Amino acid sequence: MADEKIKEAFDCWEKDVYAKEVAKHPERMERFSTISDLEIKPLYTPLDLEGFDFLRDVGFPGSYPFTRGVHSTMYRGRLWTMRQFAGFGTPEQTNERYKYLLSIGQTGLSIAFDFPTLYGRDSDDPFSRGEIGKCGVAVDTLRDFEIIFDGIPMDKVTTSMTINPPAIVLLAMYIATAEQQGVGPDKIGGTIQNDMLKEFIAQKTWIYPPRPSLRLIRDTVVYCTNHVPKWNTISISGYHIREAGATAVQELAFTLADGIEYVKMGIEAGLDVDAFAPRYSFFFDSHMDFFEEICKMRAARRMWAKIMKERFGAKNPRSWWMRFHTQTAGCSLTAQQPLNNIVRTALEAMAAVLGGTQSLHTNSMDETWALPTEEAVTVALRTQQIIAHESGVTNTIDPLAGSYFVEALTNEMEEKAWDYINKIEEMGGIIPAIERGYPQKEIIEAAFRFQQQVEAKEKIIVGVNEYIMEGEDLPIDILKVDPEVERVQLERLKEVRSKRDNAKVKSLLDDLRDAAADEKENLMPIVLDLVRAYASIGEIMGAMKDVFGVYTDPGYF
Amino acid sequence: MAQERKVKILVAKPGLDGHDRGAKVVARALRDAGFEVIYTGLHQSLEQIVESAIEEDVDAIGISILSGAHNYVFPTLMELLRKEGMDDIVVFGGGIIPLDDIPGLKEAGVKEIFLPGTSLEEIVDWVKENVKPREVVL
């Protein structure tokens, strides 16, 4: 047997060559591990791939189980979409930034909203003080959307909106703005994040408790399945789970567990799995540990294909596809020596490409200080263009397949992720697990463990715990959001409220409360009517709050 | 002689900012270092934070803010504490805060701002050095 021969030779090498060398010159560390603390061996050989079956485990791109990518030609056919998340200040400023990004070669838009918008609050809500236009663009009413998309043809661009509790409202605004441009709902394309489960697990942008939150997601999924066929209804997100401190395996497991819940939700709503599942997409983090990230993405595709085909019996291959967006890891960037962040982002972006991402956001070097300047954003986008056109990694599909290490680590991450998923299933699924605080506590444990490893210098971060420059001057300019934004936004909201038909808004809000109280009603049509009548996001979300109640932070630490 | 009580710290997340990784890791490190730590949870108004500080009779408040609203949050918090006559509570903070903004925050009464990359040890040592149990007025 070939394996026995290899085993014999390996044992011989390990004992006679490797161990002797280590005895003479000890290795730099006693234990080598990924950034997520998975132990890594000195060498991988065919012995690590016992039972490896090429057709079953790896196969061909565009074919089940999609380990090598969802498309048969991958980047030889079409490059990934370079989609920089942007938005700040007023709708006018954001419109200007989008036109700039489109002019320098960006291929899709991605809207960052400010905190009040993310939480479904109006700019004149007391909680919005100091936050208006800070982390993204402020949106109160349809009027703001009309400005954001002024001069941008909505049948030509696709737009990703990072929005969760009020996703139903922003989607309605997008549809209504496109309508004004003469573009019907069947012609628009884009994504709403619309993933509340990861909010409860990690990002913590919530309003209502988990169950009514899921109902709103259901309503958007059902509506889009019937009326907005090119819309990606949920972007099932591991990014925030990872950024909150999860390991790569936790990111993988919790994200897929969320995905399983959203598929169950669609089926329970009476939809055919193949009618809605192809419009679910995913969103992952790409962190600093190069191979761990690539293996995570390969494992994720293979696991999702199995879940959809075997567990849910989906028949359309598109339902088996895990399409995903990737963002480089914000939490890996350092405030110290910020130019180094360009290098970090380039490595992370390269991993995402080797992992087979469908779209990519590269972070800017200055984001540990503030929102990025135009110069920093340009470098970040150029990083993707250099990988795409100069590095050569796009010439062949899944070039790392067959590496003993890459295949072994892909398998190991998959196994460890199934362990988590099975544990969550035993709890009754991700919703009961969240209600018990299980994923939340696992993440905070991992975050704390990592920080301790950094403190103990078991993990080195250049410029932070090693290679520190004392008395460093910050060599970059920082973007400042003009405080004028707040005044402009408040004035516009006031003007909209004074000009619209307030009696109509009031009566529609009453209808919304009634509809919200009936679990079977789909709220999307009435939210669309409200948006068209220039009801504000705070009014719409507030009316539902009257019915759904609010969720408060259990505050685990 | 009265026994000196443990230093009590309120770790707080003001406003809508949901980035709580830093707050939780720091809260845990302070607890492990032997301080009494209360974590407010997310989405606290500044009034709620001041109320908790008074109710729990804390010696210090640690604010974590990554949303860019720091120039509003810190001065307003200091003003509210002054109004309540609680401005002997030590206020410190951390998050995504540009260097240029730090002098203004210190002028407003914030004792220290910790930037990304600060070690937990540094924060713990600073608290040991700078926060003492407040004298209880009888």
Side-chain angles (χ1 to χ4, degrees):
Chain A
M1 274 290 286
D3 271 9
E4 276 164 28
K5 262 187 156 166
I6 295 171
K7 174 95 175 75
E8 211 172 282
F10 177 80
D11 288 345
C12 192
W13 171 81
E14 194 178 36
K15 201 162 91 249
D16 297 340
V17 183
Y18 178 72
K20 279 184 188 161
E21 179 63 20
V22 172
K24 243 193 295 173
H25 304 291
E27 291 179 332
R28 290 181 294 109
M29 291 184 280
E30 284 201 359
R31 180 174 173 273
F32 288 78
S33 65
T34 66
I35 199 166
S36 301
D37 214 26
L38 282 182
E39 188 163 357
I40 298 297
K41 301 197 290 187
L43 193 76
Y44 288 78
T45 68
L47 300 171
D48 295 292
L49 296 177
E50 210 186 319
F52 178 76
D53 178 336
F54 175 81
L55 292 177
R56 183 197 63 199
D57 301 332
V58 179
F60 297 95
S63 303
Y64 189 85
F66 306 98
T67 313
R68 311 197 69 173
V70 291
H71 300 298
S72 57
T73 59
M74 285 304 288
Y75 307 131
R76 289 169 64 99
R78 192 176 154 272
L79 290 169
W80 63 91
T81 303
M82 300 179 189
R83 195 188 291 281
Q84 297 293 89
F85 185 48
F88 64 94
T90 59
E92 287 87 350
Q93 289 168 319
T94 296
N95 174 262
E96 220 173 279
R97 174 67 69 99
Y98 287 164
K99 285 179 174 163
Y100 170 75
L101 287 169
L102 291 169
S103 77
I104 61 169
Q106 179 164 309
T107 47
L109 298 177
S110 179
I111 310 185
F113 296 105
D114 70 355
F115 268 116
T117 308
L118 291 173
Y119 281 94
R121 290 179 187 251
D122 289 336
S123 295
D124 60 359
D125 184 300
F127 249 91
S128 305
R129 289 290 304 277
E131 304 272 13
I132 299 163
K134 284 279 158 60
C135 268
V137 61
V139 172
D140 292 306
T141 68
L142 183 62
R143 182 77 199 106
D144 300 312
F145 250 65
E146 293 162 7
I147 296 166
I148 293 172
F149 284 95
D150 182 48
I152 297 173
M154 294 172 82
D155 52 345
K156 299 265 171 12
V157 294
T158 60
T159 305
S160 168
M161 294 193 275
T162 298
I163 191 77
N164 292 285
I168 190 167
V169 180
L170 280 300
L171 173 63
M173 286 185 184
Y174 197 88
I175 293 170
T177 310
E179 258 168 22
Q180 292 180 4
Q181 290 191 4
V183 178
D186 55 325
K187 300 278 184 313
I188 55 172
T191 306
I192 38 176
Q193 198 162 71
N194 208 20
D195 169 9
M196 282 308 296
L197 292 172
K198 67 91 175 56
E199 294 297 335
F200 293 109
I201 294 173
Q203 181 160 259
K204 326 284 167 65
T205 312
W206 53 58
I207 300 175
Y208 317 124
R211 289 165 205 267
S213 299
L214 263 281
R215 182 259 179 104
L216 286 180
I217 299 171
R218 179 203 71 185
D219 289 356
T220 52
V221 168
V222 171
Y223 187 87
C224 288
T225 302
N226 296 324
H227 304 283
V228 200
K230 292 199 291 181
W231 200 267
N232 295 311
T233 49
I234 312 178
S235 170
I236 306 161
S237 304
Y239 186 80
H240 320 82
I241 293 174
R242 189 67 178 284
E243 291 286 305
T247 65
V249 166
Q250 288 170 344
E251 178 192 3
L252 178 56
F254 298 156
T255 308
L256 291 180
D258 290 349
I260 289 170
E261 193 60 42
Y262 292 129
V263 175
K264 290 199 299 201
M265 176 197 81
I267 292 170
E268 274 162 29
L271 297 175
D272 172 25
V273 67
D274 286 317
F276 69 88
R279 296 323 302 188
Y280 285 180
S281 62
F282 286 80
F283 173 21
F284 288 112
D285 202 314
S286 189
H287 213 299
M288 275 308 289
D289 198 297
F290 194 68
F291 291 106
E292 184 172 56
E293 292 311 298
I294 295 166
C295 296
K296 176 187 79 186
M297 293 171 196
R298 297 175 86 246
R301 264 193 305 272
R302 189 161 74 194
M303 292 173 78
W304 188 244
K306 286 181 197 168
I307 289 166
M308 292 311 295
K309 190 178 179 197
E310 288 166 22
R311 172 165 180 178
F312 290 111
K315 302 214 166 43
N316 181 353
R318 293 225 165 193
S319 304
W320 308 337
W321 284 12
M322 170 187 271
R323 296 172 300 136
F324 62 90
H325 173 69
T326 305
Q327 180 170 339
T328 57
C331 66
S332 73
L333 303 186
T334 65
Q336 296 75 17
Q337 305 174 37
L339 290 171
N340 295 344
N341 292 331
I342 299 174
V343 180
R344 292 191 175 95
T345 297
L347 289 167
E348 293 166 350
M350 180 81 104
V353 169
L354 289 168
T357 194
Q358 275 58 61
S359 60
L360 181 59
H361 166 101
T362 33
N363 292 324
S364 300
M365 61 175 140
D366 51 358
E367 293 189 60
T368 48
W369 291 103
L371 291 182
T373 60
E374 205 156 277
E375 186 193 18
V377 171
T378 306
V379 173
L381 180 60
R382 295 288 180 249
T383 303
Q384 295 196 38
Q385 291 161 341
I386 290 167
I387 291 170
H389 300 292
E390 297 184 31
S391 75
V393 298
T394 55
N395 289 340
T396 188
I397 302 159
D398 189 27
L400 295 176
S403 147
Y404 304 122
F405 174 46
V406 167
E407 296 300 352
L409 187 57
T410 303
N411 291 345
E412 184 185 345
M413 292 181 81
E414 174 170 351
E415 269 163 43
K416 290 198 152 76
W418 285 127
D419 289 345
Y420 265 119
I421 291 173
N422 292 337
K423 198 159 176 192
I424 289 165
E425 293 286 319
E426 277 163 28
M427 292 178 192
I430 194 70
I431 296 177
I434 289 168
E435 285 167 346
R436 283 165 59 165
Y438 173 68
Q440 299 95 308
K441 289 175 191 162
E442 285 289 302
I443 292 169
I444 191 62
E445 279 303 318
F448 193 66
R449 203 162 55 232
F450 177 71
Q451 190 58 38
Q452 283 178 316
Q453 288 175 327
V454 172
E455 307 266 315
K457 292 197 184 184
E458 286 166 27
K459 298 281 179 220
I460 300 299
I461 301 175
V462 172
V464 173
N465 63 357
E466 236 7 309
Y467 313 108
I468 298 164
M469 286 199 312
E470 297 294 344
E472 178 194 353
D473 277 337
L474 197 64
I476 54 173
D477 294 328
I478 297 295
L479 180 93
K480 296 260 170 165
V481 176
D482 186 351
E484 261 292 281
V485 167
E486 187 156 334
R487 194 190 58 75
V488 171
Q489 197 59 26
L490 288 170
E491 230 164 61
R492 180 159 41 231
L493 178 58
K494 216 167 137 194
E495 199 199 322
V496 169
R497 284 213 179 104
S498 71
K499 284 188 178 158
R500 68 185 184 185
D501 180 348
N502 280 302
K504 184 176 174 194
V505 170
K506 191 179 168 297
S507 110
L508 282 170
L509 286 171
D510 288 336
D511 295 347
L512 176 62
R513 279 188 203 91
D514 292 343
D518 180 358
E519 216 272 322
K520 285 196 242 12
E521 280 277 331
N522 190 313
L523 300 179
M524 190 69 203
I526 184 164
V527 171
L528 256 169
D529 286 342
L530 275 158
V531 161
R532 291 188 189 110
Y534 294 89
S536 70
I537 189 169
E539 291 161 345
I540 298 170
M541 296 306 287
M544 291 193 281
K545 211 181 279 179
D546 297 341
V547 180
F548 295 151
V550 292
Y551 183 77
T552 47
D553 184 12
Y556 306 112
F557 76 95
Chain B
M1 215 174 82
Q3 205 185 350
E4 203 173 84
R5 70 172 173 94
K6 263 191 185 179
V7 165
K8 209 168 171 184
I9 302 165
L10 183 74
V11 174
K13 282 292 299 181
L16 300 173
D17 175 21
H19 296 92
D20 60 357
R21 177 173 177 173
K24 287 179 164 190
V25 168
V26 169
R28 180 133 171 209
L30 292 172
R31 188 178 65 191
D32 290 355
F35 303 113
E36 195 175 334
V37 178
I38 299 127
Y39 172 50
T40 60
L42 288 164
H43 311 149
Q44 299 292 301
S45 70
L46 295 172
E47 288 78 7
Q48 285 171 317
I49 291 171
V50 170
E51 204 176 292
S52 307
I54 294 169
E55 209 167 277
E56 298 283 351
D57 192 24
V58 300
D59 306 303
I61 303 175
I63 296 279
S64 163
I65 180 114
L66 289 84
S67 70
H70 48 272
N71 286 334
Y72 168 75
V73 163
F74 284 105
T76 311
L77 176 71
M78 299 313 297
E79 188 51 45
L80 288 171
L81 286 172
R82 250 187 305 278
K83 267 194 210 146
E84 296 289 341
M86 304 294 282
D87 44 344
D88 54 338
I89 292 180
V90 175
V91 174
F92 62 102
I96 300 290
I97 296 169
L99 289 178
D100 290 355
D101 291 343
I102 294 176
L105 299 179
K106 288 197 170 164
E107 217 163 276
V110 179
K111 196 86 184 272
E112 191 58 88
I113 294 287
F114 296 102
L115 293 175
T118 307
S119 75
L120 295 174
E121 194 186 353
E122 195 179 316
I123 298 171
V124 167
D125 287 349
W126 183 89
V127 171
K128 280 183 186 154
E129 188 72 23
N130 290 279
V131 183
K132 304 290 174 220
R134 293 186 314 128
E135 278 173 37
V136 181
V137 186
L138 293 175

